[in-house]
């Protein structure tokens, strides 16, 4: 991806929850190289990308550890996925009836970033 990560609340689905299982390792535990600023401070957070892995962006509040991240092609999902505490962000299925929760996959990192922001912000429609 070129350009910066642009969180856009409209890009996030309206109802979010976290996958029941946790366990995807945090990016900082994977030797990703040197962090590079991907976007300026946005709503109190900063996005970083990494020199050894362009398919991961990490979301930090201040100088602390990553609170969430977006990753490309997680577990065979074709696109960008939002993760919080090692758990994939899920949305209600398609259609007005909702359906079973399924992973929210986006074409662009900034869209998955918006989902991460929405999940971490604890939108009123978000269940964890």
């Amino acid at each position: 991806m070129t350009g910066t990560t642009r969180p856009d609340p409209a890009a996030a689905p309206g109802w979010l929850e976290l996958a029941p299982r946790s366990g995807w390792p945090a990016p900082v535990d994977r030797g990703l190289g040197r962090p590079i600023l991907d976007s300026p401070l946005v709503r109190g957070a900063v996005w970083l990308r990494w020199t050894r892995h362009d398919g991961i962006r990490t979301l930090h509040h201040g100088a602390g550890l990553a609170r969430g991240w977006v990753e490309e092609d997680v577990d065979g999902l074709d696109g960008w996925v939002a993760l919080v505490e090692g758990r994939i962000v899920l949305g209600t299925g398609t259609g007005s009836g909702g359906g079973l929760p399924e992973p929210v996959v986006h074409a662009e990192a900034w869209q998955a970033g918006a989902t991460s922001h929405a999940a971490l912000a604890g939108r009123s429609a978000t269940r964890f």
Side-chain angles (χ1 to χ4, degrees), residues 48-89:
L48 300 177
R49 60 186 174 90
W50 299 87
T51 56
R52 290 191 196 141
H53 198 307
D54 195 47
I56 293 177
R57 305 286 187 275
T58 55
L59 175 63
H60 301 261
H61 286 271
L65 295 175
R67 296 202 52 212
W69 68 94
V70 300
E71 190 165 340
E72 193 172 25
D73 301 331
V74 170
D75 273 0
L77 298 172
D78 188 20
W80 288 87
V81 179
L83 294 107
V84 175
E85 297 172 356
R87 297 164 65 185
I88 290 179
V89 177

Side-chain angles (χ1 to χ4, degrees), residues 102-114:
E102 54 190 42
V104 179
V105 181
H106 297 284
E108 301 287 340
W110 69 267
Q111 294 167 321

